[in-house]
Amino acid sequence: MRIATWNVNSVRQRLTPLLAFLKEDAPDILCLQELKCETEAFPRLEVEDAGYNVVLHGQKTFNGVAILSKRPIEESYVGLPGFDHEGQSRYIEAVLSDGVGGAVRVASIYAPNGNPPDTPKYRYKLAFMEALTQHAAALLQLEEKTVLAGDYNIIPENRDVHDPAAWAGDALFLPESRAAYRRLVNLGYVDALRAVTDDGGLYTFWDYQAGAWQKNKGIRIDHLLLSPQAADRLQGVEIAKTLRAGEKPSDHVPIAAQLG
DNA sequence: ATGGCCTTGGGGCAAGGA
């Protein structure tokens, strides 16, 4: 089973590369973030024609998350439990068949950016991470195959950014942000990419500005966190880097985990 | 050499993103 996550930066602007990815990469499950449209405006027919079931939580202009699945979606839950989302659509969770007689629980997460620091936006980012950590702890108790996938808006370590000094004061890389990510992982999750490689320079985002892609000035902020039951099945991780060079790219690229 | 963008809503340009 292949599960991917992708911040598309407007699903309507990204429809062509999205459908191409579904056809060519054909993940079993694809988590999307930053739909930037209301639920009714999501291109449901096109995605269903591509062979996928959909659950989503849209929002006008900002945010918006979805889970696409080849197999039927058995349960779905909108919103992060215990968190007043203030109208921001940043979390959706689903339970699906894993195709081999079991189930897999998947979350599509769009964590807040949090810039600038020393503002309510940064406190909101940390509050979201705290609520996510609480919920993630509860999910571990279920002892299921669980994948928490999405745009965490956190650069975990120095090796995950082209120039750590340039990002030192950014909400994505502040020590408090990185500590929040560590607390989540340290509950007992596995950062899928880090389970398969120690290499630095593996990025999922390149800014549109200043030729960041051409200069490979990227950051790793899109992550797949695996419960122990999911991690035991991990066979590989791939970053679909070529999509960043395509027509009308998102500033993020998909990252996918292969689970046995 | 430096800095160089994209999206939405809405009909300018502000706001958000990272």
Side-chain angles (χ1 to χ4, degrees):
Chain A
M1 181 179 62
R2 183 175 182 76
I3 175 166
T5 182
W6 189 14
N7 178 323
V8 287
N9 185 18
S10 171
V11 70
R12 288 180 291 180
Q13 289 295 325
R14 225 60 64 202
L15 188 57
T16 299
L18 171 61
L19 294 176
F21 183 71
L22 292 178
K23 184 174 182 180
E24 292 158 20
D25 191 276
D28 295 281
I29 300 168
L30 176 60
C31 299
L32 299 177
Q33 301 87 35
E34 278 210 274
L35 305 177
K36 292 190 171 180
C37 68
E38 292 176 297
T39 298
E40 301 72 31
F42 184 89
R44 179 179 288 274
L45 293 179
E46 292 89 337
V47 167
E48 289 178 346
D49 281 348
Y52 285 82
N53 302 286
V54 185
V55 289
L56 74 141
H57 190 205
Q59 180 184 334
K60 191 176 183 179
T61 311
F62 302 121
N63 308 313
V65 286
I67 298 173
L68 281 49
S69 169
K70 286 184 175 181
R71 283 187 280 276
I73 296 165
E74 296 168 2
E75 305 169 29
S76 63
Y77 309 91
V78 164
L80 183 56
F83 186 68
D84 176 9
H85 58 77
E86 302 175 8
Q88 301 193 29
S89 303
R90 295 184 176 275
Y91 186 94
I92 190 166
E93 183 180 315
V95 178
L96 319 102
S97 165
D98 65 358
V100 290
V104 59
R105 183 178 297 263
V106 178
S108 180
I109 301 163
Y110 178 46
N113 174 306
N115 277 308
D118 299 319
T119 66
K121 291 190 174 186
Y122 191 63
R123 292 190 285 279
Y124 184 77
K125 177 190 186 84
L126 295 180
F128 181 94
M129 287 303 296
E130 173 61 24
L132 179 59
T133 301
Q134 292 293 319
H135 182 54
L139 292 182
L140 278 183
Q141 301 302 312
L142 301 175
E143 300 187 345
E144 297 174 336
K145 268 188 281 182
T146 298
V147 181
L148 306 181
D151 177 1
Y152 284 77
N153 267 317
I154 294 176
I155 302 165
E157 299 180 287
N158 282 340
R159 59 183 165 170
D160 299 313
V161 51
H162 64 94
D163 182 359
W167 288 79
D170 195 282
L172 279 60
F173 197 50
L174 283 174
E176 204 170 353
S177 303
R178 298 161 64 186
Y181 184 75
R182 282 198 304 275
R183 278 195 296 275
L184 170 56
V185 173
N186 288 344
L187 293 172
Y189 286 89
V190 170
D191 180 332
L193 184 90
R194 284 295 164 235
V196 302
T197 179
D198 291 324
D199 292 350
L202 299 172
Y203 307 134
T204 62
F205 170 93
W206 296 261
D207 201 295
Y208 288 123
Q209 299 188 63
W213 164 247
Q214 289 77 6
K215 297 176 181 176
N216 196 26
K217 292 187 171 183
I219 54 179
R220 186 172 78 93
I221 55 176
D222 300 273
H223 309 302
L224 296 137
L225 298 191
L226 311 181
S227 71
Q229 293 78 9
D232 285 347
R233 301 268 188 160
L234 181 63
Q235 296 180 337
V237 175
E238 284 184 16
I239 298 174
K241 191 174 175 179
T242 54
L243 270 70
R244 187 62 179 79
E247 288 286 309
K248 285 190 68 174
S250 170
D251 39 9
H252 299 247
V253 295
I255 175 169
Q258 183 74 37
L259 304 182

